[in-house]
Amino acid sequence: MLNNNHIHESAKIPAGIKMGFNVIISAEVTIGPGTIIGSNVIIHEGSSIGANVRIDDNTVIGKLPMRAANSVMKPTGELPACIIGDNCIIGANVVIYRGCEIGQKVLIADLATIRENVKIGQFTIIGRGVAVENFCEIGEYVKLETNAYITAYSKIEDRVFIAPNVCTTNDNYLGRTKERLSKMKGITAKKGSRIGGNATILPGVTLNEDALVAAGSVVTRDVPAKKVAMGVPAKIIRDVSGEQLLENQ
């Protein structure tokens, strides 16, 4: 049975790579040894895939971004190729855009989307259905759980935990007036901070080190280090208990 794979002659693929059916590998792609590629995978021009990477069915690597006619996101010039580090696991139906840099031993679960100009540190977990928008920095050992939404221009530092269905925002003007264009800003979640399920974090809010946001909260102001914020709008209610601090893990 023919596998109908299309591999550009300039692609660098070591012997022994396992591939499914209908794989497309474009020009100047490099793939490390021990990598396993599922069926219907597309790897776009120039992408670099490390060693021992697993890429599941129907995933797209190195996709070029799209721009709507009225998009506030303007082109930023030619994007660098997508880079995926060694020993990563990338699920089915994942889309990773050109201009992404993903560290080693990162897991990106099924149906996740990683936009352009995103950096993800090593050992991070990107859960099922998570969307990471453009111009985001995600640190090391971060956990983004199922269906979390990380808005553009956000910074998530090391060992942050973000629970399912968390929503982050970056536009206080909700799409009205040009003033918003110079003031768009995502969230900053500093090292060890945690956000409970279904919480909403408003634009420009900073969660300081080891801060904790309770489930269902709407956070309108910065949360101090080692404090618990709860409610709508969220208010500081107490300290994070000592045994829960990152320094004591």
Side-chain angles (χ1 to χ4, degrees):
M1 182 183 292
L2 296 176
N3 59 23
N4 289 321
N5 292 339
H6 296 273
I7 301 173
H8 194 275
E9 61 184 9
S10 65
K12 297 179 181 179
I13 304 174
I17 294 297
K18 296 180 180 180
M19 293 187 194
F21 297 93
N22 304 316
V23 174
I24 299 175
I25 298 178
S26 300
E28 306 299 330
V29 168
T30 61
I31 297 176
T35 290
I36 300 173
I37 299 173
S39 295
N40 305 309
V41 170
I42 300 174
I43 304 178
H44 286 282
E45 182 176 356
S47 297
S48 175
I49 313 296
N52 302 309
V53 173
R54 169 180 154 183
I55 304 173
D56 287 352
D57 300 340
N58 302 306
T59 282
V60 180
I61 306 293
K63 181 183 185 296
L64 285 171
M66 302 176 292
R67 296 278 183 252
N70 63 344
S71 175
V72 301
M73 299 293 186
K74 302 305 179 186
T76 56
E78 185 174 352
L79 292 165
C82 179
I83 299 173
I84 296 175
D86 296 342
N87 300 296
C88 288
I89 300 174
I90 300 172
N93 297 288
V94 171
V95 180
I96 301 175
Y97 281 63
R98 190 175 178 90
C100 287
E101 183 176 341
I102 297 171
Q104 66 175 344
K105 296 187 177 181
V106 170
L107 185 150
I108 302 176
D110 301 343
L111 301 169
T113 301
I114 314 295
R115 288 285 303 275
E116 68 275 16
N117 294 304
V118 169
K119 291 185 177 180
I120 299 175
Q122 63 182 352
F123 295 96
T124 282
I125 296 172
I126 308 293
R128 179 184 176 91
V130 168
V132 179
E133 298 286 12
N134 44 353
F135 299 103
C136 286
E137 294 181 35
I138 312 293
E140 300 177 358
Y141 295 92
V142 171
K143 292 182 180 179
L144 305 180
E145 299 288 336
T146 299
N147 292 329
Y149 176 75
I150 308 302
T151 191
Y153 305 106
S154 291
K155 183 174 183 179
I156 311 297
E157 294 187 359
D158 298 346
R159 298 188 183 274
V160 168
F161 176 88
I162 297 181
N165 300 308
V166 166
C167 179
T168 63
T169 58
N170 64 15
D171 182 3
N172 276 315
Y173 298 85
L174 302 182
R176 297 281 172 84
T177 76
K178 292 183 178 180
E179 186 178 6
R180 77 189 195 279
L181 302 180
S182 63
K183 295 182 178 179
M184 293 184 72
K185 186 177 182 181
I187 76 156
T188 299
K190 292 195 174 182
K191 185 176 180 180
S193 56
R194 294 173 290 167
I195 307 174
N198 288 296
T200 299
I201 317 297
L202 267 58
V205 166
T206 295
L207 310 179
N208 285 286
E209 290 82 356
D210 257 327
L212 188 150
V213 174
S217 298
V218 176
V219 183
T220 62
R221 297 181 179 180
D222 294 353
V223 180
K226 303 179 182 180
K227 299 292 184 181
V228 177
M230 178 185 294
V232 182
K235 296 180 180 180
I236 306 305
I237 62 164
R238 60 177 172 84
D239 294 337
V240 174
S241 58
E243 69 270 16
Q244 289 291 324
L245 296 176
L246 189 59
E247 64 195 49
N248 294 324
Q249 303 309 303

